[in-house]
Amino acid sequence: MITFLLAIGLLIIGYFTYGKFVEKVFGVQEERVTPAMSEGDGVDYVPMGTKRNSMIQLLNIAGVGPIFGPIMGALYGPVAFLWIVFGAIFAGAVHDYLTGMISIRNRGAHLPELAGKFLGKVMKHVVNGFAVLLLLLVGTVFVTAPAGLLHNMMSGWTTLSMIIGFIFIYYVIATMLPIDKIIGRVYPIFGLLLVISALGIGGSLVVTGAPIPEMTLTNMHPDGLMIFPLLFLTISCGALSGFHATQSPIISRTTQREKDGRKIFYGMMITEAVIAMIWAAAAMSLFYGTDLNAMIAESGPAAVVSEVSLVMLGSIGGTLAVLGVIILPITSGDTAFRSARMIIADYFKIKQIKIKSRLMIAIPLFMISVVLTQLDFTILWRYFSWANQSTAMIALWVGAMYLGLQGKNHWISSIPATFMTMVTFTYILNAQIGFGLPMPLSYLGAAIGTVVVIGLFAKKLNRERQVNEIQVDEDVSRIA
């Protein structure tokens, strides 16, 4: 219990200390006009208040990731707490803040456009493919997961296919309408339910004195799976998630002032980490070890969610908690498809004011997603995890390049970027869905690849700095 409470305390302290430091490094300009005010189109660029933006951002980023991921990560033992706490403070929240704020500085641009501007044109095409793939996987996973939970709650009252169909209908409507029509109105209410359900579980852990394991670095995974790199892909949302880089630009187009960025982007990532801590602790205390592993293997993490909610909060409170968990993926799935539509529209320069233009992009996306729902959930999750953290790695390098070109401390982004480069390279070299190499060889290949990426980053940063200096010299010469 001490470890759990200390971890929650560190997350809160991190927001007020390191979050403030990151904001200072970035250099907020209160008088600067944001895209919500200068690019208003009544569809995606719509000014909204800080509280509403914060709750929308939380629901956008908090799918089943900060619940399912920590539940599966709990198998590793309390070492998972370390990744949630330090990953969120020094990587995840920095990632979310920088992608949101850099987007604000670039007319609400999405990650592919930012990657093209700061890492080169080739990266724009690479990241565009990565982002759309990731969002399709997220949207699909966030259809099947809540549909399964609803189907269990209804005890066979209706078919799973029908529930999936209804969720898709909602997604189509929410993706197509202006952001303030559905998302801007109902998300604050859903956000309140999410927070209440998480606080209910967390409060029950404290009041009942739940036997949460204390801190140890020992790997407790029943199957002996290695902490590195698997833990850092298993727990993504709640610590660091590339999916967030696709969501922050949605809110960068509705944020009215730059000074609101720390609350909206950094703060909501910390809030998500608190939610992740609560569910990881609950899973450890109630189903620790083999029992938890067996339940996940047999029925998936959704079964753990239902059991934890009912045991901790009773039938009524437990049902409300499960509803909160169902809302999480649905409210991330719709914005996943919305973000995919916006990214494709930006890539092909298709204006989104007319509904016909929105349908032209959205319909093919939904058709592909319907096909993907036929695949096994665990297979989808494996591809999602790697694509997700690879996107996070790229987004952190974008943030580092932006800060470096501004002559600011890029280490707040380049250090976590380096770590995640090693993680993602190691995973894809070793995993069966990747190259299937032995782990020692995967470590070596990942280390070489990471060094190459660092070298390319340093080379491009120095080259761009020299170009900027030449440009400044030319401007001075003209003035003279």
Side-chain angles (χ1 to χ4, degrees):
M1 183 61 71
I2 294 175
T3 298
F4 172 68
L5 293 176
L6 180 61
I8 297 293
L10 286 174
L11 286 168
I12 295 171
I13 292 171
Y15 168 74
F16 288 104
T17 55
Y18 198 69
K20 189 70 175 177
F21 172 72
V22 171
E23 181 184 54
K24 184 177 180 181
V25 169
F26 181 81
V28 168
Q29 298 176 16
E30 293 189 25
E31 72 285 353
R32 191 183 182 101
V33 178
T34 63
M37 311 304 290
S38 62
E39 307 287 332
D41 62 2
V43 179
D44 298 317
Y45 293 89
V46 180
M48 293 193 293
T50 305
K51 291 182 180 179
R52 197 156 36 144
N53 277 329
S54 295
M55 294 311 299
I56 294 172
Q57 174 72 1
L58 176 61
L59 286 170
N60 284 358
I61 65 176
V64 289
I67 298 177
F68 283 15
I71 286 174
M72 293 187 287
L75 293 169
Y76 292 89
V79 68
F81 292 158
L82 289 177
W83 172 231
I84 293 173
V85 172
F86 295 107
I89 294 172
F90 297 106
V94 174
H95 167 281
D96 290 13
Y97 180 80
L98 289 178
T99 52
M101 296 303 293
I102 296 171
S103 177
I104 287 176
R105 292 279 176 91
N106 288 271
R107 303 187 316 281
H110 277 273
L111 183 60
E113 188 175 339
L114 296 177
K117 181 174 182 178
F118 295 105
L119 298 182
K121 292 182 179 180
V122 173
M123 288 303 297
K124 176 180 180 179
H125 305 302
V126 172
V127 176
N128 195 77
F130 249 107
V132 173
L133 170 64
L134 173 61
L135 289 166
L136 275 171
L137 290 174
V138 168
T140 304
V141 168
F142 290 174
V143 168
T144 55
L149 286 170
L150 279 171
H151 188 251
N152 291 336
M153 287 182 65
M154 292 180 177
S155 302
W157 179 74
T158 185
T159 65
L160 180 62
S161 297
M162 187 172 291
I163 296 173
I164 289 175
F166 278 121
I167 294 176
F168 266 121
I169 291 172
Y170 164 74
Y171 280 0
V172 171
I173 296 171
T175 301
M176 301 303 299
L177 289 179
I179 193 168
D180 60 335
K181 300 304 180 185
I182 292 182
I183 294 174
R185 292 181 180 179
V186 302
Y187 272 34
I189 300 172
F190 289 164
L192 184 62
L193 179 58
L194 161 63
V195 172
I196 290 174
S197 64
L199 290 178
I201 299 292
S204 181
L205 289 172
V206 175
V207 171
T208 60
I212 304 171
E214 298 299 344
M215 191 63 242
T216 174
L217 297 179
T218 303
N219 182 3
M220 298 183 177
H221 200 290
D223 294 335
L225 298 181
M226 301 181 69
I227 291 175
F228 189 95
L230 295 178
L231 175 63
F232 306 102
L233 283 94
T234 302
I235 302 179
S236 52
C237 295
L240 169 66
S241 171
F243 172 63
H244 299 187
T246 68
Q247 300 301 290
S248 293
I250 294 178
I251 303 304
S252 76
R253 299 184 180 195
T254 63
T255 302
Q256 298 184 58
R257 298 170 298 182
E258 283 196 356
K259 71 175 183 179
D260 297 333
R262 184 162 66 95
K263 294 178 183 177
I264 296 171
F265 302 118
Y266 198 99
M268 291 306 101
M269 179 60 229
I270 294 298
T271 302
E272 186 188 67
V274 171
I275 294 171
M277 278 294 307
I278 289 171
W279 281 101
M284 286 185 201
S285 65
L286 265 69
F287 305 100
Y288 189 69
T290 306
D291 292 338
L292 176 60
N293 197 29
M295 179 171 280
I296 293 175
E298 181 180 351
S299 306
V304 180
V305 170
S306 299
E307 190 68 20
V308 166
S309 300
L310 293 172
V311 170
M312 290 284 190
L313 301 176
S315 58
I316 297 177
T319 300
L320 289 174
V322 172
L323 285 173
V325 174
I326 291 170
I327 286 170
L328 273 173
I330 291 177
T331 54
S332 290
D334 58 8
T335 52
F337 285 113
R338 187 182 192 90
S339 183
R341 171 180 64 78
M342 293 163 67
I343 287 174
I344 293 172
D346 288 350
Y347 187 77
F348 291 105
K349 302 186 185 305
I350 302 172
K351 296 287 185 181
Q352 295 293 279
I353 297 176
K354 294 182 179 180
I355 194 167
K356 179 181 178 181
S357 300
R358 286 173 252 162
L359 282 170
M360 183 174 64
I361 299 173
I363 289 178
L365 289 173
F366 285 114
M367 292 175 64
I368 295 171
S369 183
V370 169
V371 174
L372 290 176
T373 59
Q374 306 305 308
L375 297 179
D376 183 75
F377 175 85
T378 56
I379 294 175
L380 281 176
W381 190 266
R382 289 173 195 163
Y383 282 104
F384 160 74
S385 296
W386 178 72
N388 187 46
Q389 297 305 69
S390 296
T391 303
M393 175 261 292
I394 294 169
L396 284 166
W397 283 120
V398 170
M401 183 64 70
Y402 174 87
L403 294 175
L405 292 176
Q406 298 291 319
K408 297 175 180 178
N409 177 10
H410 67 76
W411 298 106
I412 62 172
S413 189
S414 56
I415 289 177
T418 299
F419 177 75
M420 289 311 299
T421 302
M422 185 68 186
V423 167
T424 53
F425 281 9
T426 302
Y427 178 78
I428 201 61
L429 288 173
N430 175 254
Q432 293 303 311
I433 66 168
F435 295 92
L437 299 177
M439 186 55 76
L441 198 56
S442 298
Y443 283 145
L444 177 61
I448 294 172
T450 301
V451 170
V452 170
V453 170
I454 293 172
L456 291 173
F457 169 79
K459 181 179 180 180
K460 182 168 180 58
L461 178 59
N462 289 332
R463 184 171 66 246
E464 293 296 328
R465 281 175 171 172
Q466 291 174 1
V467 170
N468 289 342
E469 288 176 0
I470 292 172
Q471 184 65 49
V472 170
D473 289 340
E474 289 177 350
D475 292 341
V476 172
S477 298
R478 291 195 195 99
I479 295 172

